[in-house]
Short mmCIF file of all heavy atoms in Angstrom, two decimals:
data_model
loop_
_atom_site.label_atom_id
_atom_site.label_comp_id
_atom_site.label_asym_id
_atom_site.label_seq_id
_atom_site.Cartn_x
_atom_site.Cartn_y
_atom_site.Cartn_z
N LYS A 3 -4.68 11.17 -59.63
CA LYS A 3 -3.92 12.37 -59.30
C LYS A 3 -3.80 12.54 -57.80
O LYS A 3 -2.78 12.99 -57.29
CB LYS A 3 -4.59 13.61 -59.90
CG LYS A 3 -4.45 13.70 -61.38
CD LYS A 3 -4.57 15.12 -61.90
CE LYS A 3 -4.42 15.08 -63.42
NZ LYS A 3 -4.59 16.36 -64.04
N PHE A 5 -3.65 10.20 -55.65
CA PHE A 5 -2.64 9.25 -55.17
C PHE A 5 -1.25 9.82 -55.35
O PHE A 5 -0.42 9.78 -54.44
CB PHE A 5 -2.77 7.93 -55.92
CG PHE A 5 -1.65 6.98 -55.64
CD1 PHE A 5 -1.50 6.41 -54.38
CD2 PHE A 5 -0.71 6.68 -56.62
CE1 PHE A 5 -0.44 5.54 -54.10
CE2 PHE A 5 0.33 5.80 -56.34
CZ PHE A 5 0.47 5.24 -55.08
N ALA A 8 -0.47 12.40 -52.92
CA ALA A 8 -0.15 11.80 -51.63
C ALA A 8 1.30 11.30 -51.62
O ALA A 8 2.01 11.47 -50.64
CB ALA A 8 -1.11 10.66 -51.32
N ALA A 15 7.47 15.12 -46.98
CA ALA A 15 7.30 15.18 -45.52
C ALA A 15 8.41 14.42 -44.82
O ALA A 15 8.89 14.84 -43.77
CB ALA A 15 5.94 14.61 -45.13
N SER A 20 9.86 17.60 -38.76
CA SER A 20 10.54 18.14 -37.59
C SER A 20 10.63 17.06 -36.54
O SER A 20 9.68 16.34 -36.31
CB SER A 20 9.75 19.35 -37.07
OG SER A 20 10.06 19.59 -35.72
N LYS A 22 11.01 17.54 -33.42
CA LYS A 22 10.63 17.99 -32.08
C LYS A 22 9.44 17.16 -31.60
O LYS A 22 8.62 16.71 -32.39
CB LYS A 22 10.25 19.47 -32.11
CG LYS A 22 11.41 20.39 -32.49
CD LYS A 22 11.15 21.80 -31.98
CE LYS A 22 12.22 22.75 -32.46
NZ LYS A 22 12.00 23.18 -33.85
N PRO A 23 9.30 17.00 -30.31
CA PRO A 23 8.20 16.19 -29.77
C PRO A 23 6.84 16.83 -30.06
O PRO A 23 6.73 18.04 -30.14
CB PRO A 23 8.48 16.18 -28.26
CG PRO A 23 9.36 17.35 -28.02
CD PRO A 23 10.17 17.53 -29.25
N ASP A 24 5.81 16.02 -30.22
CA ASP A 24 4.50 16.58 -30.51
C ASP A 24 3.80 16.99 -29.22
O ASP A 24 4.33 16.82 -28.12
CB ASP A 24 3.65 15.62 -31.35
CG ASP A 24 3.02 14.51 -30.54
OD1 ASP A 24 3.25 14.41 -29.32
OD2 ASP A 24 2.26 13.73 -31.13
N GLY A 25 2.61 17.54 -29.36
CA GLY A 25 1.89 18.11 -28.22
C GLY A 25 1.80 17.18 -27.03
O GLY A 25 2.08 17.56 -25.88
N VAL A 28 5.26 16.59 -25.37
CA VAL A 28 5.71 17.74 -24.59
C VAL A 28 4.99 17.79 -23.25
O VAL A 28 5.61 18.01 -22.20
CB VAL A 28 5.48 19.04 -25.39
CG1 VAL A 28 5.49 20.24 -24.47
CG2 VAL A 28 6.54 19.20 -26.45
N PHE A 35 5.09 12.21 -16.88
CA PHE A 35 4.68 10.82 -17.09
C PHE A 35 5.22 10.25 -18.39
O PHE A 35 4.83 9.17 -18.82
CB PHE A 35 3.16 10.68 -17.02
CG PHE A 35 2.38 11.45 -18.05
CD1 PHE A 35 2.08 10.89 -19.28
CD2 PHE A 35 1.92 12.73 -17.79
CE1 PHE A 35 1.35 11.59 -20.23
CE2 PHE A 35 1.18 13.44 -18.73
CZ PHE A 35 0.90 12.86 -19.95
N LYS A 38 6.53 6.65 -18.72
CA LYS A 38 5.63 5.49 -18.71
C LYS A 38 5.45 4.90 -20.09
O LYS A 38 4.90 3.82 -20.24
CB LYS A 38 4.25 5.92 -18.18
CG LYS A 38 4.18 6.15 -16.70
CD LYS A 38 2.72 6.05 -16.25
CE LYS A 38 2.54 6.62 -14.87
NZ LYS A 38 1.10 6.76 -14.56
N ALA A 39 5.89 5.64 -21.12
CA ALA A 39 5.62 5.19 -22.48
C ALA A 39 6.43 3.95 -22.82
O ALA A 39 7.64 3.91 -22.59
CB ALA A 39 5.94 6.30 -23.46
N ILE A 40 5.76 2.95 -23.35
CA ILE A 40 6.45 1.76 -23.83
C ILE A 40 6.34 1.80 -25.35
O ILE A 40 5.35 1.37 -25.93
CB ILE A 40 5.79 0.48 -23.31
CG1 ILE A 40 5.64 0.57 -21.79
CG2 ILE A 40 6.61 -0.74 -23.69
CD1 ILE A 40 4.72 -0.50 -21.24
N ASN A 42 6.98 0.95 -29.18
CA ASN A 42 7.43 -0.12 -30.08
C ASN A 42 7.80 0.51 -31.41
O ASN A 42 7.28 1.56 -31.76
CB ASN A 42 6.34 -1.16 -30.26
CG ASN A 42 5.10 -0.57 -30.87
OD1 ASN A 42 4.56 0.40 -30.37
ND2 ASN A 42 4.63 -1.14 -31.95
N GLN A 43 8.68 -0.15 -32.12
CA GLN A 43 9.22 0.49 -33.32
C GLN A 43 8.35 0.28 -34.55
O GLN A 43 8.47 1.01 -35.49
CB GLN A 43 10.62 -0.05 -33.60
CG GLN A 43 11.67 0.59 -32.73
CD GLN A 43 13.05 0.31 -33.28
OE1 GLN A 43 13.45 -0.84 -33.40
NE2 GLN A 43 13.77 1.34 -33.63
N GLY A 44 7.54 -0.71 -34.52
CA GLY A 44 6.76 -0.97 -35.73
C GLY A 44 7.57 -1.75 -36.74
O GLY A 44 8.79 -1.85 -36.66
N LEU A 45 6.88 -2.30 -37.72
CA LEU A 45 7.53 -3.21 -38.66
C LEU A 45 8.45 -2.50 -39.64
O LEU A 45 9.25 -3.12 -40.32
CB LEU A 45 6.47 -4.01 -39.42
CG LEU A 45 5.56 -4.85 -38.51
CD1 LEU A 45 4.39 -5.41 -39.30
CD2 LEU A 45 6.34 -5.97 -37.90
N MET A 46 8.32 -1.17 -39.76
CA MET A 46 9.11 -0.47 -40.77
C MET A 46 10.31 0.23 -40.17
O MET A 46 10.86 1.14 -40.75
CB MET A 46 8.24 0.58 -41.47
CG MET A 46 7.07 0.00 -42.17
SD MET A 46 7.31 0.07 -43.93
CE MET A 46 5.63 0.15 -44.48
N ALA A 54 9.53 4.15 -46.58
CA ALA A 54 8.53 3.67 -45.63
C ALA A 54 7.22 4.41 -45.82
O ALA A 54 6.14 3.83 -45.77
CB ALA A 54 9.04 3.84 -44.20
N GLY A 55 7.33 5.73 -46.07
CA GLY A 55 6.13 6.53 -46.28
C GLY A 55 5.35 6.04 -47.47
O GLY A 55 4.13 5.87 -47.42
N LEU A 59 1.54 4.19 -47.90
CA LEU A 59 0.50 4.55 -48.86
C LEU A 59 0.01 3.32 -49.61
O LEU A 59 -1.19 3.11 -49.78
CB LEU A 59 1.04 5.55 -49.89
CG LEU A 59 1.31 6.97 -49.44
CD1 LEU A 59 1.87 7.74 -50.62
CD2 LEU A 59 0.04 7.61 -48.97
N ILE A 62 -2.16 1.06 -47.51
CA ILE A 62 -3.51 1.57 -47.29
C ILE A 62 -4.37 1.36 -48.52
O ILE A 62 -5.51 0.87 -48.44
CB ILE A 62 -3.46 3.07 -46.91
CG1 ILE A 62 -2.86 3.22 -45.52
CG2 ILE A 62 -4.85 3.68 -46.96
CD1 ILE A 62 -2.73 4.65 -45.06
N PHE A 66 -7.82 -1.19 -49.22
CA PHE A 66 -9.14 -0.84 -49.75
C PHE A 66 -9.45 -1.59 -51.04
O PHE A 66 -10.61 -1.93 -51.30
CB PHE A 66 -9.25 0.67 -49.94
CG PHE A 66 -9.51 1.39 -48.65
CD1 PHE A 66 -8.47 1.91 -47.91
CD2 PHE A 66 -10.79 1.51 -48.16
CE1 PHE A 66 -8.71 2.54 -46.70
CE2 PHE A 66 -11.05 2.14 -46.96
CZ PHE A 66 -10.00 2.66 -46.23
N ALA A 70 -12.73 -3.87 -51.63
CA ALA A 70 -13.61 -3.75 -52.79
C ALA A 70 -13.72 -5.09 -53.50
O ALA A 70 -14.80 -5.50 -53.91
CB ALA A 70 -13.08 -2.68 -53.73
N LYS A 74 -17.12 -7.32 -54.02
CA LYS A 74 -17.60 -7.62 -55.36
C LYS A 74 -17.97 -9.09 -55.50
O LYS A 74 -18.92 -9.44 -56.18
CB LYS A 74 -16.50 -7.27 -56.39
CG LYS A 74 -16.76 -5.95 -57.07
CD LYS A 74 -15.56 -5.35 -57.72
CE LYS A 74 -15.11 -5.98 -59.01
NZ LYS A 74 -14.07 -5.09 -59.62
N MET B 1 -0.81 13.18 -31.40
CA MET B 1 -1.61 12.85 -30.24
C MET B 1 -1.79 11.35 -30.08
O MET B 1 -2.70 10.90 -29.40
CB MET B 1 -2.97 13.56 -30.40
CG MET B 1 -3.72 13.71 -29.12
SD MET B 1 -5.35 14.32 -29.46
CE MET B 1 -4.98 15.85 -30.29
N ASN B 5 1.71 2.83 -25.72
CA ASN B 5 1.42 1.89 -24.64
C ASN B 5 2.02 2.42 -23.35
O ASN B 5 3.06 3.07 -23.36
CB ASN B 5 2.02 0.52 -24.95
CG ASN B 5 1.19 -0.22 -25.97
OD1 ASN B 5 0.01 0.04 -26.12
ND2 ASN B 5 1.81 -1.14 -26.68
N GLY B 6 1.35 2.16 -22.24
CA GLY B 6 1.90 2.55 -20.95
C GLY B 6 1.25 3.77 -20.34
O GLY B 6 1.38 4.02 -19.14
N PHE B 7 0.53 4.55 -21.15
CA PHE B 7 -0.10 5.76 -20.60
C PHE B 7 -1.47 5.47 -20.00
O PHE B 7 -1.95 6.21 -19.15
CB PHE B 7 -0.26 6.83 -21.68
CG PHE B 7 0.97 7.65 -21.94
CD1 PHE B 7 2.17 7.37 -21.30
CD2 PHE B 7 0.94 8.69 -22.84
CE1 PHE B 7 3.31 8.12 -21.54
CE2 PHE B 7 2.07 9.46 -23.09
CZ PHE B 7 3.26 9.17 -22.45
N LEU B 62 -22.13 -5.01 -54.49
CA LEU B 62 -21.38 -3.77 -54.63
C LEU B 62 -21.80 -3.07 -55.93
O LEU B 62 -21.80 -3.67 -57.00
CB LEU B 62 -19.88 -4.08 -54.66
CG LEU B 62 -18.94 -2.90 -54.63
CD1 LEU B 62 -19.05 -2.16 -53.31
CD2 LEU B 62 -17.50 -3.37 -54.82
N GLU B 67 -18.15 0.94 -55.61
CA GLU B 67 -16.74 0.56 -55.77
C GLU B 67 -15.87 1.80 -55.87
O GLU B 67 -14.81 1.90 -55.24
CB GLU B 67 -16.60 -0.30 -57.03
CG GLU B 67 -15.23 -0.93 -57.15
CD GLU B 67 -15.12 -1.80 -58.38
OE1 GLU B 67 -16.15 -2.01 -59.06
OE2 GLU B 67 -14.00 -2.26 -58.68
N ILE B 70 -15.32 3.26 -52.50
CA ILE B 70 -14.31 2.58 -51.69
C ILE B 70 -12.92 3.03 -52.08
O ILE B 70 -12.06 3.29 -51.22
CB ILE B 70 -14.45 1.06 -51.81
CG1 ILE B 70 -15.76 0.61 -51.20
CG2 ILE B 70 -13.29 0.35 -51.12
CD1 ILE B 70 -15.94 -0.87 -51.12
N ILE B 73 -12.32 6.45 -50.64
CA ILE B 73 -11.98 6.41 -49.21
C ILE B 73 -10.50 6.05 -49.06
O ILE B 73 -9.77 6.65 -48.26
CB ILE B 73 -12.85 5.41 -48.44
CG1 ILE B 73 -14.33 5.76 -48.58
CG2 ILE B 73 -12.47 5.39 -46.96
CD1 ILE B 73 -15.26 4.74 -47.94
N GLY B 74 -10.05 5.08 -49.84
CA GLY B 74 -8.65 4.68 -49.79
C GLY B 74 -7.72 5.82 -50.17
O GLY B 74 -6.68 6.04 -49.54
N MET B 75 -8.11 6.56 -51.20
CA MET B 75 -7.29 7.69 -51.66
C MET B 75 -7.19 8.75 -50.57
O MET B 75 -6.10 9.28 -50.29
CB MET B 75 -7.91 8.33 -52.91
CG MET B 75 -7.69 7.53 -54.16
SD MET B 75 -5.95 7.38 -54.53
CE MET B 75 -6.00 5.96 -55.60
N SER B 78 -4.99 7.61 -47.78
CA SER B 78 -3.57 7.69 -48.08
C SER B 78 -3.09 9.14 -48.10
O SER B 78 -1.97 9.44 -47.68
CB SER B 78 -3.26 6.99 -49.41
OG SER B 78 -3.93 7.62 -50.47
N PHE B 81 -2.65 10.03 -44.52
CA PHE B 81 -1.46 9.35 -44.01
C PHE B 81 -0.22 10.14 -44.40
O PHE B 81 0.66 10.39 -43.57
CB PHE B 81 -1.40 7.93 -44.58
CG PHE B 81 -0.14 7.20 -44.24
CD1 PHE B 81 0.00 6.57 -43.02
CD2 PHE B 81 0.91 7.16 -45.14
CE1 PHE B 81 1.16 5.89 -42.70
CE2 PHE B 81 2.08 6.48 -44.82
CZ PHE B 81 2.19 5.86 -43.60
N ALA B 82 -0.15 10.55 -45.67
CA ALA B 82 1.00 11.31 -46.13
C ALA B 82 1.08 12.66 -45.42
O ALA B 82 2.14 13.07 -44.96
CB ALA B 82 0.93 11.51 -47.64
N PHE B 86 3.97 15.21 -42.04
CA PHE B 86 4.53 16.54 -41.87
C PHE B 86 4.44 16.98 -40.41
O PHE B 86 3.34 17.14 -39.89
CB PHE B 86 3.76 17.55 -42.72
CG PHE B 86 4.39 17.83 -44.04
CD1 PHE B 86 3.75 17.42 -45.20
CD2 PHE B 86 5.60 18.47 -44.13
CE1 PHE B 86 4.34 17.68 -46.43
CE2 PHE B 86 6.19 18.72 -45.36
CZ PHE B 86 5.55 18.33 -46.51
N ASN B 87 5.60 17.18 -39.79
CA ASN B 87 5.59 17.80 -38.47
C ASN B 87 6.02 19.23 -38.64
O ASN B 87 6.99 19.50 -39.33
CB ASN B 87 6.57 17.09 -37.54
CG ASN B 87 5.97 15.85 -36.93
OD1 ASN B 87 5.59 14.95 -37.65
ND2 ASN B 87 5.88 15.82 -35.63
N GLY B 93 9.64 24.45 -28.48
CA GLY B 93 10.19 23.11 -28.58
C GLY B 93 9.15 22.05 -28.89
O GLY B 93 9.36 20.86 -28.69
N THR B 94 7.99 22.51 -29.37
CA THR B 94 6.93 21.56 -29.68
C THR B 94 6.67 21.55 -31.18
O THR B 94 6.84 22.55 -31.86
CB THR B 94 5.62 21.99 -28.98
OG1 THR B 94 5.92 22.39 -27.65
CG2 THR B 94 4.60 20.88 -28.97
N SER B 95 6.24 20.42 -31.68
CA SER B 95 5.81 20.37 -33.07
C SER B 95 4.39 19.82 -33.13
O SER B 95 3.93 19.16 -32.20
CB SER B 95 6.74 19.49 -33.90
OG SER B 95 6.57 18.13 -33.55
N LEU B 126 0.79 -0.34 -36.50
CA LEU B 126 1.41 -1.61 -36.85
C LEU B 126 2.79 -1.43 -37.47
O LEU B 126 3.73 -2.12 -37.12
CB LEU B 126 0.53 -2.36 -37.85
CG LEU B 126 -0.68 -3.09 -37.30
CD1 LEU B 126 -1.50 -3.68 -38.45
CD2 LEU B 126 -0.24 -4.20 -36.36
N PHE B 127 2.89 -0.50 -38.40
CA PHE B 127 4.11 -0.44 -39.19
C PHE B 127 5.09 0.62 -38.73
O PHE B 127 6.27 0.53 -39.03
CB PHE B 127 3.75 -0.20 -40.67
CG PHE B 127 3.00 -1.35 -41.27
CD1 PHE B 127 1.61 -1.31 -41.35
CD2 PHE B 127 3.67 -2.46 -41.73
CE1 PHE B 127 0.90 -2.38 -41.89
CE2 PHE B 127 2.97 -3.53 -42.28
CZ PHE B 127 1.60 -3.49 -42.36
N PHE B 128 4.63 1.63 -38.02
CA PHE B 128 5.53 2.71 -37.66
C PHE B 128 5.67 2.89 -36.15
O PHE B 128 6.36 3.79 -35.68
CB PHE B 128 5.07 4.03 -38.30
CG PHE B 128 5.08 3.98 -39.79
CD1 PHE B 128 4.00 3.46 -40.48
CD2 PHE B 128 6.18 4.42 -40.50
CE1 PHE B 128 4.01 3.39 -41.87
CE2 PHE B 128 6.21 4.36 -41.88
CZ PHE B 128 5.13 3.85 -42.57
N GLY B 129 5.00 2.05 -35.38
CA GLY B 129 5.09 2.17 -33.94
C GLY B 129 4.53 3.46 -33.40
O GLY B 129 4.84 3.88 -32.29
N ILE B 193 -1.72 11.77 -12.47
CA ILE B 193 -1.70 13.22 -12.72
C ILE B 193 -3.09 13.78 -12.50
O ILE B 193 -4.07 13.25 -13.02
CB ILE B 193 -1.27 13.53 -14.17
CG1 ILE B 193 0.03 12.82 -14.51
CG2 ILE B 193 -1.10 15.01 -14.37
CD1 ILE B 193 -0.15 11.67 -15.43
N THR B 227 -8.20 18.80 -57.55
CA THR B 227 -7.53 17.64 -58.13
C THR B 227 -8.50 16.57 -58.56
O THR B 227 -8.34 15.94 -59.60
CB THR B 227 -6.56 17.00 -57.11
OG1 THR B 227 -5.93 18.01 -56.37
CG2 THR B 227 -5.54 16.14 -57.80
N GLU B 230 -10.88 16.16 -62.26
CA GLU B 230 -10.66 15.52 -63.58
C GLU B 230 -11.14 14.07 -63.54
O GLU B 230 -10.60 13.23 -62.97
CB GLU B 230 -9.21 15.59 -63.99
CG GLU B 230 -8.23 16.02 -62.90
CD GLU B 230 -7.97 17.52 -62.83
OE1 GLU B 230 -7.32 18.01 -63.75
OE2 GLU B 230 -8.44 18.16 -61.89
#
Side-chain angles (χ1 to χ4, degrees):
Chain A
K3 288 204 180 177
F5 171 68
S20 158
K22 296 203 185 79
D24 79 358
V28 161
F35 62 89
K38 285 201 195 169
I40 308 167
N42 61 306
Q43 281 195 300
L45 301 170
M46 299 252 208
L59 287 179
I62 290 178
F66 281 94
K74 259 161 74 170
Chain B
M1 200 188 301
N5 284 336
F7 278 4
L62 188 65
E67 189 179 353
I70 294 187
I73 301 175
M75 284 298 160
S78 62
F81 174 83
F86 264 112
N87 278 60
T94 317
S95 71
L126 281 175
F127 295 97
F128 298 84
I193 308 107
T227 321
E230 12 269 290

